[in-house]
Amino acid sequence: MRKSVVLFSILLVSGCAQMIPARSTEIEPGKYKLEASGNTFASIPSLIEKIDQKAIKLCGAGNYTYADDGDFSNQHSPAYLNGVYIGGSYTVVTRSVTCK
């Protein structure tokens, strides 16, 4: 019974659109690689919005250009709990931005 309660709780929590704030890596002065990710319930437009927010934070509103159209990928994260597979997939959006 306890295992089923734990498993149900994990499934309930993982059903939400979990998104981590966009991350940035400075490639060279004024040029950044931005990356946003979220579970399978996070939409591509919402991840792109996270990247746009990070670009504004780094460069200022309207003071940046994207160097590419973006890279969209689906990743898989294997995980086990007491021998039960509970892994899942997540989406990653990556873009390069240059500050003006």
Side-chain angles (χ1 to χ4, degrees):
M1 176 69 177
R2 181 170 164 86
K3 285 183 182 180
S4 62
V5 170
V6 170
L7 184 58
F8 177 74
S9 298
I10 290 170
L11 292 174
L12 186 63
V13 171
S14 67
C16 302
Q18 299 171 357
M19 293 187 296
I20 300 170
R23 297 164 301 284
S24 64
T25 304
E26 190 170 25
I27 300 168
E28 57 187 53
K31 187 173 182 180
Y32 299 90
K33 174 184 169 187
L34 305 179
E35 184 177 271
S37 60
N39 66 12
T40 56
F41 296 101
S43 67
I44 298 288
S46 66
L47 295 175
I48 291 171
E49 178 64 28
K50 294 284 184 189
I51 287 179
D52 290 341
Q53 291 172 2
K54 188 66 170 188
I56 290 169
K57 186 176 179 181
L58 291 169
C59 305
N63 292 326
Y64 62 90
T65 57
Y66 288 112
D68 56 29
D69 291 331
D71 179 33
F72 309 95
S73 64
N74 289 313
Q75 303 293 322
H76 186 71
S77 177
Y80 295 89
L81 176 66
N82 294 328
V84 177
Y85 177 77
I86 59 168
S89 298
Y90 60 98
T91 304
V92 180
V93 176
T94 306
R95 292 191 84 177
S96 296
V97 66
T98 303
C99 297
K100 294 180 183 176

